[in-house]
Amino acid sequence: MRLVIGIWFIIINLIGYFVMSEDKRKARRRQERTPERTLFLLALIGGALGVLIAMYRWRHKTKHLSFVVGIPVLLFINAVLYVYFLR
């Protein structure tokens, strides 16, 4: 079970990072964007760390209060759940 959770953690955070990075690229090119709901969903299902890293790495959504507060809250929830299931 630990292996599955560890693999999930890596994969979902990589996906979160790349989706957030791609959304920033699309924003610069004025292309169709990834819905904020999708970014929050990725963070909710375990990818908050990847989303948060990309958010500050690319300075994307850092002026949106919902992201500045919401993603760290989801990261905390993710951490609690990962620790719970890895014990």
Coordinates of all heavy atoms in Angstrom, one line a residue:
M1 N 0.8 -1.2 0.0 CA 0.0 0.0 0.0 C 0.9 1.3 0.0 O 0.5 2.2 -0.7 CB -0.9 0.0 1.2 CG -1.9 1.1 1.2 SD -3.1 1.0 -0.1 CE -4.3 2.0 0.4
R2 N 2.0 1.2 0.8 CA 2.9 2.4 0.8 C 3.4 2.7 -0.6 O 3.6 3.9 -0.9 CB 4.0 2.2 1.8 CG 3.6 2.2 3.2 CD 4.8 2.0 4.1 NE 4.3 2.1 5.5 CZ 5.1 2.6 6.4 NH1 6.3 3.0 6.2 NH2 4.6 2.6 7.7
L3 N 3.8 1.7 -1.3 CA 4.3 1.9 -2.7 C 3.3 2.6 -3.6 O 3.6 3.5 -4.3 CB 4.8 0.5 -3.3 CG 5.4 0.6 -4.7 CD1 6.6 1.5 -4.7 CD2 5.6 -0.8 -5.2
V4 N 2.1 2.1 -3.5 CA 1.0 2.7 -4.3 C 0.8 4.2 -4.0 O 0.7 5.0 -4.9 CB -0.3 1.9 -4.2 CG1 -1.5 2.6 -4.9 CG2 -0.1 0.5 -4.7
I5 N 0.8 4.5 -2.7 CA 0.6 5.9 -2.2 C 1.8 6.7 -2.7 O 1.6 7.8 -3.1 CB 0.3 5.9 -0.7 CG1 -1.0 5.3 -0.4 CG2 0.4 7.4 -0.2 CD1 -1.3 5.1 1.1
G6 N 3.0 6.2 -2.5 CA 4.2 6.9 -2.9 C 4.2 7.2 -4.4 O 4.5 8.3 -4.9
I7 N 3.8 6.2 -5.2 CA 3.7 6.4 -6.7 C 2.7 7.4 -7.0 O 2.9 8.3 -7.9 CB 3.5 5.1 -7.4 CG1 4.7 4.2 -7.3 CG2 3.1 5.3 -8.9 CD1 4.5 2.8 -7.7
W8 N 1.5 7.3 -6.4 CA 0.4 8.3 -6.6 C 0.9 9.7 -6.2 O 0.7 10.7 -7.0 CB -0.8 8.0 -5.7 CG -1.9 9.0 -5.8 CD1 -2.1 10.0 -4.8 CD2 -2.8 9.3 -6.8 NE1 -3.2 10.8 -5.2 CE2 -3.6 10.4 -6.5 CE3 -3.0 8.7 -8.1 CZ2 -4.6 10.9 -7.3 CZ3 -4.0 9.2 -8.9 CH2 -4.7 10.3 -8.5
F9 N 1.6 9.9 -5.1 CA 2.1 11.2 -4.7 C 3.0 11.8 -5.8 O 2.8 12.9 -6.1 CB 2.9 11.0 -3.4 CG 3.6 12.3 -2.9 CD1 2.9 13.3 -2.3 CD2 4.9 12.5 -3.2 CE1 3.5 14.5 -1.9 CE2 5.6 13.6 -2.8 CZ 4.9 14.6 -2.1
I10 N 3.9 11.0 -6.3 CA 4.8 11.5 -7.3 C 4.1 11.9 -8.6 O 4.2 13.0 -9.2 CB 5.9 10.5 -7.6 CG1 6.8 10.4 -6.4 CG2 6.7 10.8 -8.8 CD1 7.8 9.2 -6.4
I11 N 3.2 11.0 -9.1 CA 2.5 11.2 -10.3 C 1.6 12.4 -10.3 O 1.6 13.2 -11.2 CB 1.8 9.9 -10.8 CG1 2.8 8.8 -11.2 CG2 0.9 10.2 -11.9 CD1 2.2 7.5 -11.4
I12 N 0.8 12.4 -9.2 CA -0.3 13.5 -9.2 C 0.4 14.9 -9.0 O -0.1 15.9 -9.5 CB -1.3 13.2 -8.1 CG1 -2.6 14.1 -8.3 CG2 -0.8 13.4 -6.7 CD1 -3.3 13.9 -9.6
N13 N 1.5 14.9 -8.3 CA 2.2 16.2 -8.1 C 2.9 16.6 -9.4 O 3.0 17.8 -9.7 CB 3.1 16.1 -6.9 CG 2.4 16.4 -5.6 OD1 1.9 17.5 -5.3 ND2 2.2 15.3 -4.9
L14 N 3.5 15.7 -10.1 CA 4.0 16.0 -11.4 C 3.0 16.5 -12.4 O 3.2 17.5 -13.1 CB 4.8 14.8 -12.0 CG 6.1 14.4 -11.4 CD1 6.6 13.1 -12.0 CD2 7.1 15.5 -11.7
I15 N 1.8 15.9 -12.4 CA 0.7 16.3 -13.2 C 0.3 17.7 -12.8 O 0.1 18.6 -13.6 CB -0.5 15.3 -13.2 CG1 -0.1 14.0 -13.8 CG2 -1.7 15.9 -13.8 CD1 -1.1 12.9 -13.6
G16 N 0.1 17.9 -11.5 CA -0.3 19.3 -11.0 C 0.7 20.3 -11.4 O 0.3 21.4 -11.8
Y17 N 2.0 20.0 -11.3 CA 3.1 21.0 -11.7 C 3.0 21.3 -13.2 O 3.0 22.5 -13.6 CB 4.4 20.4 -11.4 CG 5.6 21.4 -11.7 CD1 6.0 22.4 -10.8 CD2 6.2 21.3 -13.0 CE1 7.0 23.2 -11.2 CE2 7.2 22.2 -13.3 CZ 7.6 23.2 -12.4 OH 8.6 24.0 -12.8
F18 N 2.9 20.3 -14.0 CA 2.9 20.5 -15.4 C 1.6 21.2 -15.9 O 1.6 22.0 -16.8 CB 3.1 19.2 -16.2 CG 4.6 18.8 -16.1 CD1 4.9 17.6 -15.5 CD2 5.6 19.6 -16.6 CE1 6.2 17.2 -15.4 CE2 6.9 19.2 -16.5 CZ 7.2 18.0 -15.9
V19 N 0.4 20.8 -15.3 CA -0.8 21.5 -15.7 C -0.8 23.0 -15.4 O -1.2 23.8 -16.2 CB -2.0 20.8 -15.1 CG1 -3.3 21.6 -15.3 CG2 -2.2 19.4 -15.7
M20 N -0.3 23.3 -14.2 CA -0.2 24.7 -13.8 C 0.8 25.4 -14.7 O 0.6 26.6 -15.1 CB 0.3 24.8 -12.3 CG 0.2 26.2 -11.7 SD -1.4 26.8 -11.6 CE -1.3 27.6 -10.0
S21 N 2.0 24.8 -15.0 CA 3.0 25.4 -15.9 C 2.4 25.7 -17.2 O 2.6 26.7 -17.9 CB 4.2 24.5 -15.9 OG 4.8 24.4 -14.7
E22 N 1.7 24.7 -17.8 CA 1.1 24.8 -19.1 C 0.0 25.9 -19.1 O -0.1 26.6 -20.1 CB 0.4 23.5 -19.5 CG -0.2 23.5 -20.9 CD 0.8 23.6 -22.0 OE1 2.0 23.5 -21.8 OE2 0.3 23.8 -23.1
D23 N -0.7 26.1 -18.0 CA -1.7 27.1 -17.9 C -1.0 28.5 -18.0 O -1.5 29.4 -18.6 CB -2.6 27.0 -16.7 CG -3.7 28.0 -16.7 OD1 -4.5 28.0 -17.7 OD2 -3.9 28.7 -15.7
K24 N 0.1 28.6 -17.4 CA 0.9 29.9 -17.4 C 1.3 30.1 -18.8 O 1.2 31.3 -19.4 CB 2.1 29.8 -16.5 CG 3.0 31.0 -16.5 CD 2.3 32.3 -16.1 CE 3.2 33.5 -16.1 NZ 2.7 34.6 -15.5
R25 N 1.8 29.1 -19.5 CA 2.2 29.2 -20.9 C 1.1 29.7 -21.8 O 1.2 30.6 -22.6 CB 2.8 27.9 -21.4 CG 3.4 28.0 -22.8 CD 3.8 26.7 -23.4 NE 2.7 25.8 -23.7 CZ 1.9 26.0 -24.8 NH1 2.1 26.9 -25.6 NH2 0.9 25.2 -25.0
K26 N -0.1 29.1 -21.6 CA -1.3 29.4 -22.4 C -1.7 30.9 -22.1 O -2.2 31.6 -22.9 CB -2.4 28.5 -22.1 CG -2.2 27.1 -22.6 CD -3.4 26.2 -22.3 CE -3.3 24.9 -22.9 NZ -4.4 24.0 -22.5
A27 N -1.6 31.3 -20.8 CA -1.9 32.7 -20.4 C -1.1 33.7 -21.2 O -1.6 34.7 -21.7 CB -1.8 32.9 -18.9
R28 N 0.2 33.4 -21.3 CA 1.1 34.3 -22.0 C 0.8 34.4 -23.5 O 1.0 35.4 -24.1 CB 2.6 33.8 -21.9 CG 3.2 34.0 -20.5 CD 4.6 33.5 -20.5 NE 5.2 33.7 -19.1 CZ 6.2 32.9 -18.7 NH1 6.7 32.0 -19.4 NH2 6.6 33.2 -17.5
R29 N 0.3 33.3 -24.0 CA 0.0 33.2 -25.5 C -1.4 33.6 -25.8 O -1.9 33.4 -26.9 CB 0.4 31.8 -26.0 CG 1.8 31.6 -26.0 CD 2.2 30.2 -26.5 NE 3.6 30.0 -26.4 CZ 4.2 29.0 -26.9 NH1 3.5 28.1 -27.6 NH2 5.5 28.8 -26.8
R30 N -2.2 33.9 -24.7 CA -3.6 34.2 -24.9 C -4.4 33.1 -25.6 O -5.2 33.3 -26.5 CB -3.8 35.5 -25.6 CG -3.1 36.7 -24.9 CD -3.7 38.0 -25.3 NE -3.0 39.1 -24.8 CZ -3.0 39.6 -23.5 NH1 -3.6 38.9 -22.6 NH2 -2.3 40.6 -23.1
Q31 N -4.1 31.9 -25.1 CA -4.8 30.7 -25.6 C -5.9 30.3 -24.6 O -6.0 30.8 -23.5 CB -3.8 29.6 -25.9 CG -2.8 29.8 -26.9 CD -1.8 28.7 -27.1 OE1 -1.5 28.0 -26.1 NE2 -1.2 28.6 -28.2
E32 N -6.6 29.3 -25.0 CA -7.7 28.7 -24.1 C -7.0 28.2 -22.8 O -6.0 27.4 -22.9 CB -8.5 27.6 -24.8 CG -9.6 27.2 -24.0 CD -10.5 26.2 -24.7 OE1 -10.5 26.2 -26.0 OE2 -11.2 25.4 -24.1
R33 N -7.5 28.5 -21.7 CA -6.9 28.2 -20.4 C -7.5 27.0 -19.7 O -8.6 26.6 -20.0 CB -7.1 29.4 -19.5 CG -6.6 30.8 -20.1 CD -5.1 31.0 -19.9 NE -4.7 30.9 -18.6 CZ -4.9 31.9 -17.7 NH1 -5.4 33.0 -18.0 NH2 -4.5 31.7 -16.4
T34 N -6.7 26.5 -18.8 CA -7.2 25.4 -17.9 C -8.1 26.0 -16.8 O -7.8 27.0 -16.2 CB -6.0 24.8 -17.2 OG1 -5.1 24.3 -18.2 CG2 -6.5 23.6 -16.3
P35 N -9.3 25.5 -16.7 CA -10.2 26.0 -15.7 C -9.6 26.0 -14.2 O -8.9 25.0 -13.9 CB -11.5 25.1 -15.7 CG -11.4 24.5 -17.1 CD -9.9 24.4 -17.4
E36 N -9.9 27.0 -13.5 CA -9.4 27.1 -12.1 C -9.9 25.9 -11.3 O -9.2 25.3 -10.4 CB -9.8 28.4 -11.4 CG -9.0 29.5 -11.9 CD -9.3 30.8 -11.2 OE1 -10.2 30.9 -10.3 OE2 -8.7 31.8 -11.6
R37 N -11.1 25.4 -11.6 CA -11.7 24.3 -11.0 C -10.8 23.0 -11.1 O -10.6 22.2 -10.2 CB -13.1 24.1 -11.6 CG -13.8 22.8 -11.1 CD -15.1 22.6 -11.8 NE -16.1 22.4 -10.8 CZ -17.4 22.6 -11.0 NH1 -17.8 23.1 -12.2 NH2 -18.2 22.4 -10.1
T38 N -10.2 22.9 -12.3 CA -9.4 21.7 -12.6 C -8.1 21.8 -11.8 O -7.6 20.8 -11.2 CB -9.0 21.7 -14.1 OG1 -10.2 21.6 -14.9 CG2 -8.1 20.5 -14.4
L39 N -7.5 23.0 -11.6 CA -6.3 23.2 -10.8 C -6.6 22.9 -9.4 O -5.8 22.2 -8.7 CB -5.8 24.6 -11.0 CG -5.4 25.0 -12.4 CD1 -5.1 26.5 -12.5 CD2 -4.2 24.2 -12.9
F40 N -7.7 23.3 -8.9 CA -8.1 23.0 -7.5 C -8.4 21.5 -7.3 O -8.0 20.9 -6.3 CB -9.3 23.8 -7.0 CG -8.9 25.2 -6.5 CD1 -9.2 26.3 -7.2 CD2 -8.2 25.3 -5.3 CE1 -8.8 27.6 -6.7 CE2 -7.9 26.6 -4.8 CZ -8.2 27.7 -5.5
L41 N -9.0 20.9 -8.3 CA -9.3 19.5 -8.2 C -7.9 18.7 -8.1 O -7.8 17.7 -7.3 CB -10.1 19.0 -9.4 CG -10.4 17.5 -9.4 CD1 -11.3 17.1 -8.2 CD2 -11.2 17.2 -10.7
L42 N -7.0 19.0 -9.0 CA -5.7 18.4 -8.9 C -5.0 18.5 -7.5 O -4.5 17.6 -7.0 CB -4.7 18.9 -10.0 CG -5.0 18.5 -11.4 CD1 -4.2 19.3 -12.4 CD2 -4.7 17.0 -11.6
A43 N -5.1 19.7 -7.0 CA -4.6 19.9 -5.6 C -5.4 19.1 -4.6 O -4.8 18.5 -3.7 CB -4.6 21.4 -5.3
L44 N -6.7 19.0 -4.7 CA -7.5 18.3 -3.8 C -7.2 16.8 -3.7 O -7.2 16.2 -2.7 CB -9.0 18.5 -4.1 CG -10.0 17.8 -3.2 CD1 -10.0 18.4 -1.8 CD2 -11.4 17.9 -3.8
I45 N -6.9 16.2 -4.9 CA -6.7 14.8 -5.0 C -5.3 14.4 -4.7 O -4.9 13.2 -5.0 CB -7.3 14.2 -6.3 CG1 -6.5 14.7 -7.5 CG2 -8.8 14.4 -6.4 CD1 -6.9 14.0 -8.8
G46 N -4.5 15.3 -4.2 CA -3.2 14.9 -3.7 C -2.0 15.7 -4.4 O -0.9 15.5 -4.0
G47 N -2.3 16.6 -5.3 CA -1.3 17.3 -6.1 C -1.0 18.7 -5.6 O -0.5 19.5 -6.4
A48 N -1.4 19.0 -4.4 CA -1.2 20.4 -4.0 C 0.2 20.9 -4.0 O 0.5 22.0 -4.3 CB -1.8 20.6 -2.6
L49 N 1.1 20.0 -3.6 CA 2.6 20.4 -3.6 C 3.0 20.8 -5.0 O 3.7 21.8 -5.2 CB 3.4 19.3 -3.0 CG 4.9 19.6 -2.9 CD1 5.1 20.8 -2.0 CD2 5.7 18.4 -2.4
G50 N 2.7 20.0 -6.0 CA 3.1 20.3 -7.4 C 2.5 21.6 -7.9 O 3.2 22.4 -8.5
V51 N 1.2 21.8 -7.6 CA 0.5 23.0 -8.0 C 1.2 24.2 -7.3 O 1.4 25.3 -7.9 CB -1.0 23.0 -7.7 CG1 -1.7 24.3 -7.8 CG2 -1.6 21.9 -8.5
L52 N 1.4 24.1 -6.0 CA 2.0 25.2 -5.2 C 3.4 25.6 -5.7 O 3.8 26.7 -5.9 CB 2.1 24.9 -3.7 CG 2.6 26.0 -2.8 CD1 1.5 27.1 -2.7 CD2 2.9 25.5 -1.4
I53 N 4.2 24.6 -6.0 CA 5.6 24.8 -6.5 C 5.5 25.5 -7.9 O 6.2 26.5 -8.1 CB 6.4 23.5 -6.6 CG1 6.7 23.0 -5.2 CG2 7.7 23.7 -7.4 CD1 7.3 21.6 -5.2
A54 N 4.7 25.1 -8.8 CA 4.5 25.7 -10.1 C 4.0 27.1 -9.9 O 4.4 28.0 -10.7 CB 3.7 24.9 -11.0
M55 N 3.0 27.3 -9.0 CA 2.4 28.6 -8.8 C 3.5 29.6 -8.5 O 3.4 30.7 -9.0 CB 1.4 28.5 -7.6 CG 0.5 29.7 -7.4 SD -0.8 29.3 -6.2 CE -0.2 30.2 -4.8
Y56 N 4.4 29.3 -7.6 CA 5.4 30.3 -7.2 C 6.6 30.3 -8.2 O 7.2 31.3 -8.4 CB 5.8 30.1 -5.8 CG 4.7 30.7 -4.8 CD1 3.9 29.8 -4.2 CD2 4.6 32.0 -4.7 CE1 2.8 30.3 -3.4 CE2 3.6 32.5 -3.9 CZ 2.7 31.7 -3.3 OH 1.7 32.2 -2.5
R57 N 6.9 29.1 -8.8 CA 8.0 29.1 -9.7 C 7.7 30.0 -10.9 O 8.6 30.7 -11.4 CB 8.2 27.6 -10.1 CG 9.1 27.4 -11.4 CD 10.5 27.7 -11.1 NE 11.4 27.4 -12.2 CZ 11.7 28.3 -13.1 NH1 11.3 29.6 -13.1 NH2 12.5 28.0 -14.1
W58 N 6.5 29.9 -11.4 CA 6.1 30.7 -12.6 C 5.4 32.0 -12.3 O 4.9 32.7 -13.2 CB 5.3 29.8 -13.5 CG 6.0 28.6 -14.0 CD1 5.7 27.3 -13.6 CD2 7.2 28.5 -14.8 NE1 6.6 26.4 -14.2 CE2 7.5 27.2 -14.9 CE3 8.0 29.5 -15.4 CZ2 8.6 26.7 -15.6 CZ3 9.1 29.0 -16.1 CH2 9.4 27.7 -16.2
R59 N 5.2 32.3 -11.0 CA 4.4 33.4 -10.5 C 3.0 33.5 -11.2 O 2.6 34.5 -11.8 CB 5.2 34.7 -10.8 CG 6.3 34.9 -9.8 CD 7.0 36.2 -9.9 NE 8.3 35.8 -10.5 CZ 9.0 36.5 -11.4 NH1 8.5 37.6 -11.8 NH2 10.2 36.1 -11.8
H60 N 2.3 32.3 -11.1 CA 1.0 32.2 -11.8 C 0.0 32.0 -10.7 O 0.1 31.2 -9.8 CB 1.1 30.9 -12.7 CG -0.1 30.8 -13.5 ND1 -0.6 31.8 -14.3 CD2 -0.9 29.7 -13.7 CE1 -1.7 31.3 -14.9 NE2 -1.9 30.1 -14.6
K61 N -1.0 32.9 -10.8 CA -2.2 32.9 -9.8 C -1.8 33.4 -8.4 O -2.5 33.2 -7.5 CB -2.8 31.5 -9.7 CG -3.3 30.9 -11.0 CD -4.6 31.4 -11.4 CE -5.1 30.6 -12.6 NZ -6.2 31.2 -13.3
T62 N -0.6 34.0 -8.3 CA -0.2 34.4 -7.0 C -0.9 35.7 -6.5 O -0.7 36.1 -5.3 CB 1.3 34.7 -7.0 OG1 1.7 35.6 -8.0 CG2 2.1 33.4 -7.2
K63 N -1.7 36.3 -7.4 CA -2.5 37.5 -6.9 C -3.9 37.1 -6.7 O -4.7 37.9 -6.3 CB -2.4 38.6 -8.0 CG -1.0 39.2 -8.1 CD -1.0 40.3 -9.1 CE 0.4 40.9 -9.1 NZ 0.5 42.0 -10.1
H64 N -4.2 35.8 -6.9 CA -5.6 35.3 -6.6 C -5.7 34.8 -5.2 O -5.0 33.8 -4.8 CB -5.9 34.2 -7.6 CG -6.0 34.6 -9.0 ND1 -7.2 34.7 -9.7 CD2 -5.1 35.0 -9.9 CE1 -7.0 35.1 -10.9 NE2 -5.7 35.3 -11.0
L65 N -6.4 35.5 -4.3 CA -6.5 35.1 -2.9 C -7.0 33.6 -2.8 O -6.5 32.9 -1.9 CB -7.5 36.0 -2.2 CG -7.6 35.8 -0.7 CD1 -6.2 36.1 0.0 CD2 -8.6 36.7 -0.1
S66 N -7.9 33.2 -3.6 CA -8.3 31.8 -3.5 C -7.2 30.8 -3.7 O -7.2 29.8 -3.1 CB -9.4 31.5 -4.6 OG -8.9 31.7 -5.9
F67 N -6.2 31.1 -4.5 CA -5.0 30.3 -4.7 C -4.0 30.4 -3.6 O -3.5 29.5 -3.1 CB -4.4 30.5 -6.1 CG -5.1 29.8 -7.2 CD1 -6.2 30.3 -7.8 CD2 -4.6 28.5 -7.6 CE1 -6.8 29.6 -8.8 CE2 -5.3 27.8 -8.6 CZ -6.4 28.4 -9.2
V68 N -3.8 31.7 -3.2 CA -2.7 32.0 -2.2 C -3.1 31.3 -0.9 O -2.3 30.9 -0.1 CB -2.5 33.5 -2.1 CG1 -1.6 33.8 -0.9 CG2 -1.9 34.1 -3.4
V69 N -4.4 31.3 -0.6 CA -4.9 30.7 0.7 C -5.3 29.2 0.4 O -4.9 28.3 1.2 CB -6.1 31.5 1.2 CG1 -6.7 30.8 2.4 CG2 -5.7 32.9 1.6
G70 N -6.0 29.0 -0.6 CA -6.6 27.6 -0.9 C -5.6 26.5 -1.1 O -5.7 25.4 -0.5
I71 N -4.6 26.8 -1.9 CA -3.6 25.7 -2.2 C -2.8 25.3 -1.0 O -2.7 24.1 -0.7 CB -2.7 26.1 -3.4 CG1 -3.6 26.4 -4.7 CG2 -1.6 25.1 -3.7 CD1 -4.4 25.2 -5.2
P72 N -2.3 26.3 -0.2 CA -1.6 25.8 1.1 C -2.5 25.1 2.0 O -2.1 24.1 2.7 CB -1.1 27.2 1.7 CG -1.0 28.1 0.5 CD -2.1 27.7 -0.4
V73 N -3.8 25.4 2.1 CA -4.8 24.7 2.9 C -4.9 23.3 2.4 O -4.9 22.3 3.2 CB -6.1 25.4 3.0 CG1 -7.2 24.5 3.6 CG2 -6.0 26.7 3.8
L74 N -5.0 23.1 1.1 CA -5.1 21.8 0.5 C -3.8 21.0 0.7 O -3.9 19.8 0.9 CB -5.5 21.9 -1.0 CG -6.9 22.4 -1.3 CD1 -7.2 22.6 -2.7 CD2 -7.9 21.3 -0.7
L75 N -2.7 21.7 0.6 CA -1.4 21.1 0.9 C -1.4 20.5 2.3 O -0.9 19.4 2.5 CB -0.3 22.0 0.7 CG 1.1 21.5 1.0 CD1 1.4 20.3 0.1 CD2 2.2 22.6 0.8
F76 N -1.9 21.3 3.3 CA -1.9 20.8 4.6 C -2.8 19.5 4.8 O -2.4 18.5 5.4 CB -2.4 21.9 5.6 CG -2.6 21.4 7.0 CD1 -1.4 21.3 7.8 CD2 -3.8 21.2 7.5 CE1 -1.6 20.8 9.1 CE2 -4.0 20.7 8.8 CZ -2.8 20.6 9.6
I77 N -4.0 19.6 4.1 CA -4.9 18.5 4.1 C -4.2 17.3 3.5 O -4.3 16.1 4.0 CB -6.2 18.8 3.5 CG1 -7.0 19.9 4.3 CG2 -7.1 17.6 3.3 CD1 -8.1 20.5 3.7
N78 N -3.6 17.5 2.3 CA -2.9 16.4 1.6 C -1.8 15.8 2.6 O -1.7 14.5 2.7 CB -2.1 16.9 0.4 CG -3.0 17.2 -0.8 OD1 -2.5 17.5 -1.9 ND2 -4.3 17.1 -0.7
A79 N -1.1 16.6 3.2 CA 0.0 16.1 4.1 C -0.6 15.2 5.3 O -0.1 14.2 5.5 CB 0.8 17.3 4.7
V80 N -1.7 15.7 5.9 CA -2.3 15.0 6.9 C -2.8 13.6 6.4 O -2.6 12.6 7.0 CB -3.5 15.8 7.6 CG1 -4.3 14.9 8.5 CG2 -2.9 17.0 8.3
L81 N -3.4 13.6 5.2 CA -3.9 12.4 4.7 C -2.8 11.4 4.3 O -2.9 10.2 4.5 CB -4.8 12.6 3.5 CG -6.2 13.3 3.9 CD1 -7.0 13.7 2.6 CD2 -7.0 12.3 4.7
Y82 N -1.7 12.0 3.6 CA -0.6 11.1 3.3 C 0.0 10.5 4.5 O 0.3 9.3 4.5 CB 0.5 11.9 2.5 CG 0.1 12.1 1.0 CD1 0.1 13.4 0.5 CD2 -0.1 11.0 0.2 CE1 -0.2 13.6 -0.9 CE2 -0.4 11.2 -1.1 CZ -0.4 12.5 -1.7 OH -0.7 12.7 -3.0
V83 N 0.2 11.2 5.6 CA 0.8 10.7 6.8 C -0.1 9.6 7.4 O 0.3 8.6 7.8 CB 1.1 11.8 7.8 CG1 1.4 11.3 9.2 CG2 2.2 12.7 7.3
Y84 N -1.4 9.9 7.4 CA -2.4 9.0 8.0 C -2.3 7.6 7.2 O -2.3 6.6 7.8 CB -3.8 9.5 7.9 CG -4.8 8.6 8.3 CD1 -5.1 8.3 9.7 CD2 -5.6 7.9 7.4 CE1 -6.0 7.4 10.1 CE2 -6.6 7.0 7.8 CZ -6.8 6.7 9.1 OH -7.7 5.8 9.5
F85 N -2.3 7.7 5.9 CA -2.3 6.4 5.1 C -1.0 5.8 5.0 O -0.9 4.6 4.7 CB -2.9 6.7 3.7 CG -4.4 6.9 3.7 CD1 -4.9 8.2 3.4 CD2 -5.2 5.9 4.0 CE1 -6.3 8.4 3.4 CE2 -6.6 6.1 4.0 CZ -7.1 7.3 3.7
L86 N 0.1 6.5 5.3 CA 1.4 5.9 5.3 C 1.8 5.3 6.6 O 2.9 4.6 6.7 CB 2.5 6.9 4.8 CG 2.4 7.2 3.3 CD1 3.3 8.3 3.0 CD2 2.6 6.0 2.4
R87 N 1.1 5.5 7.6 CA 1.4 4.9 8.9 C 1.1 3.4 9.0 O 0.4 2.9 8.3 CB 0.6 5.6 10.1 CG 1.2 6.9 10.4 CD 0.7 7.5 11.7 NE -0.8 7.6 11.7 CZ -1.5 7.4 12.8 NH1 -0.9 7.1 13.9 NH2 -2.8 7.5 12.8

